[in-house]
Amino acid sequence: MIFQDKVVKKYLTNVYFVTGTACSGKTTVSRELAKRHNLIKDFSNLIDDYRNRPGHQGFRDFINSISDIENAKAVCNAVLKSLNGKVLKNIRNSGYYWIERTHKSTVDETVGKVERHLGFAKNDFSMNVLEIKKVDKDTDLADKLIYFVENFSWEDVKEHMLGMLRAWEFTDWETPFAAIVNGQIVGMASIMKTDYYPLPEIYPWVSSVFVAEDYRGYRISEKLIDFANGYAKENRFDRTYIPSEHTGLYEKYGYRYLKDIVNYGNGKDRLYVKELNG
């Protein structure tokens, strides 16, 4: 997502804004970031500049149709339909940093999350207190992890993960991991023999990487993956695998693209591998 031409774009490569309205706050948040961090010197004509860009005919038509309420409503409805469930699901499952704004979201809240992600804001907790731990069966930490999953926002994975944790379907070296801040679980990952793919010959998989929304932007997912890889190495594995629909995410963690794979839902994903002895 590119906010404005003069924002340092490389910082925003993996930032998504998801909303149920045509006005998702992209301009509002970018202007507030620019004001706080001197990213844009001239705020004049931002709307005109955006409206007149090539490919922004829809936005231009929307602005020009404000006096026609029914037409404005039709345009809004078309935008809402374009934000279909598949797109939202893909973004939530992408592994990229994303922010979902609702009618209750404030500008300060959203800007704060982006600031933390971009490194503009000082952490409100010390990374020195972050712990990554292996979770063992029938422990207080396992109970805390179940509670964490019961309340996290990754709906597509929630019931499957809860079933695994409650029945403890982890065998041999398989295990979940928890990221902990001041005694509270804020993220998780797991290492598994199989994932959502008919590929029994490929393992181990680093799976179920999730960080609570309020703690995103601190590179906790990277620390979870690093911890999982250290555990894999201790168990004499020389590589791990991660599937993804996207490019440019896991490469920065040392993974390289291996091949396309087909999941049980007949969807195509990209398989990444990391050599642990390199």
Side-chain angles (χ1 to χ4, degrees):
M1 170 83 55
I2 299 174
F3 282 23
Q4 305 294 345
D5 287 342
K6 294 182 182 178
V7 174
V8 183
K9 299 176 184 177
K10 67 177 182 179
Y11 286 134
L12 302 171
T13 301
N14 297 331
V15 179
Y16 293 84
F17 280 77
V18 185
T19 180
T21 69
C23 301
S24 64
K26 297 183 293 295
T27 299
T28 300
V29 171
S30 64
R31 290 180 67 149
E32 184 64 23
L33 284 169
K35 181 172 69 176
R36 294 185 185 186
H37 303 287
N38 195 31
L39 296 178
I40 301 175
K41 295 182 179 179
D42 183 11
F43 290 101
S44 63
N45 298 319
L46 273 179
I47 297 299
D48 287 341
D49 176 63
Y50 185 86
R51 182 176 59 179
N52 294 326
R53 292 180 189 176
H56 286 185
Q57 180 69 40
F59 180 75
R60 184 160 57 249
D61 291 346
F62 173 71
I63 294 298
N64 293 338
S65 70
I66 292 299
S67 60
D68 184 341
I69 301 301
E70 291 306 313
N71 189 42
K73 287 165 64 176
V75 173
C76 283
N77 284 333
V79 172
L80 289 174
K81 289 180 181 179
S82 71
L83 295 170
N84 57 71
K86 181 179 180 181
V87 173
L88 182 57
K89 177 181 177 181
N90 288 344
I91 291 173
R92 283 174 168 169
N93 294 342
S94 67
Y96 289 115
Y97 180 70
W98 56 272
I99 297 173
E100 184 172 352
R101 303 191 75 218
T102 71
H103 68 284
K104 296 180 180 179
S105 301
T106 66
V107 172
D108 281 345
E109 176 188 64
T110 305
V111 169
K113 290 179 179 180
V114 179
E115 285 179 320
R116 289 195 296 272
H117 179 67
L118 303 184
F120 292 148
K122 185 177 180 180
N123 290 342
D124 53 14
F125 75 92
S126 170
M127 289 299 288
N128 292 331
V129 304
L130 174 69
E131 299 177 276
I132 310 293
K133 291 185 176 180
K134 177 179 177 292
V135 181
D136 294 318
K137 182 181 180 180
D138 296 329
T139 61
D140 288 342
L141 189 56
D143 291 339
K144 287 183 178 181
L145 184 58
I146 290 173
Y147 178 80
F148 174 75
V149 175
E150 287 174 339
N151 292 279
F152 74 17
S153 60
W154 196 1
E155 296 296 335
D156 293 331
V157 170
K158 180 180 291 187
E159 290 307 316
H160 172 71
M161 182 54 63
L162 282 174
M164 291 195 64
L165 289 169
R166 288 168 176 161
W168 203 259
E169 297 176 358
F170 304 93
T171 61
D172 299 326
W173 43 264
E174 292 180 309
T175 188
F177 307 101
I180 305 163
V181 173
N182 296 326
Q184 175 187 353
I185 294 179
V186 300
M188 68 165 297
S190 61
I191 189 164
M192 306 296 297
K193 296 176 183 177
T194 61
D195 207 315
Y196 189 52
Y197 305 89
L199 298 168
E201 73 280 6
I202 291 178
Y203 61 89
W205 301 79
V206 176
S207 183
S208 307
V209 181
F210 179 85
V211 175
E213 286 82 351
D214 289 344
Y215 288 87
R216 292 176 183 170
Y218 298 116
R219 305 183 74 88
I220 293 176
S221 59
E222 180 180 4
K223 295 182 183 299
L224 280 162
I225 292 170
D226 285 346
F227 193 90
N229 282 327
Y231 174 84
K233 193 170 182 178
E234 289 175 2
N235 282 270
R236 300 183 182 279
F237 293 108
D238 56 10
R239 62 180 61 87
T240 60
Y241 300 89
I242 293 182
S244 178
E245 298 176 352
H246 305 277
T247 60
L249 176 61
Y250 293 112
E251 289 90 334
K252 63 185 179 184
Y253 300 153
Y255 284 83
R256 62 177 175 83
Y257 168 74
L258 186 61
K259 63 180 180 178
D260 286 350
I261 54 177
V262 177
N263 60 43
Y264 284 116
N266 206 35
K268 183 182 292 186
D269 294 316
R270 295 167 62 85
L271 180 63
Y272 290 87
V273 60
K274 179 173 183 176
E275 306 295 337
L276 303 181
N277 295 322

